[in-house]
Amino acid sequence: MISLPERFWQDKEWAFAHYSELLRMYKNMWIAVLNKNIIAASPNIGKVEEIKVKKGRKHIPVIFLDDGSHVY
């Protein structure tokens, strides 16, 4: 089992604590969070993953900011 660094959980928690604020800026987009900063944002998860890899970090939370208009 992979052990994720504490920073990963802190960044994920920060993103969900600021979800409504982030949603206004990144509606229906994927975001990557590092040190409580958005390092990538795109409607295409592939582009966000590319940027994440370029940063040289494996464990960065990637979250979709859904405005509720998507049907799953």
Side-chain angles (χ1 to χ4, degrees), residues 9-62:
W9 299 112
Q10 291 170 350
D11 285 341
K12 185 175 179 182
E13 185 177 304
W14 176 86
F16 282 107
H18 293 89
Y19 195 92
S20 60
E21 178 185 334
L22 294 170
L23 183 61
R24 284 192 294 272
M25 294 182 284
Y26 305 104
K27 181 178 174 179
N28 296 319
M29 296 179 87
W30 292 94
I31 62 167
V33 182
L34 179 61
N35 297 321
K36 299 178 182 176
N37 290 298
I38 307 306
I39 62 162
S42 175
N44 181 326
I45 191 171
K47 292 193 185 291
V48 171
E49 290 290 341
E50 280 178 34
I51 293 168
K52 184 175 105 169
V53 169
K54 286 180 184 176
K55 292 286 184 184
R57 306 283 184 118
K58 288 170 51 174
H59 304 299
I60 297 174
V62 174

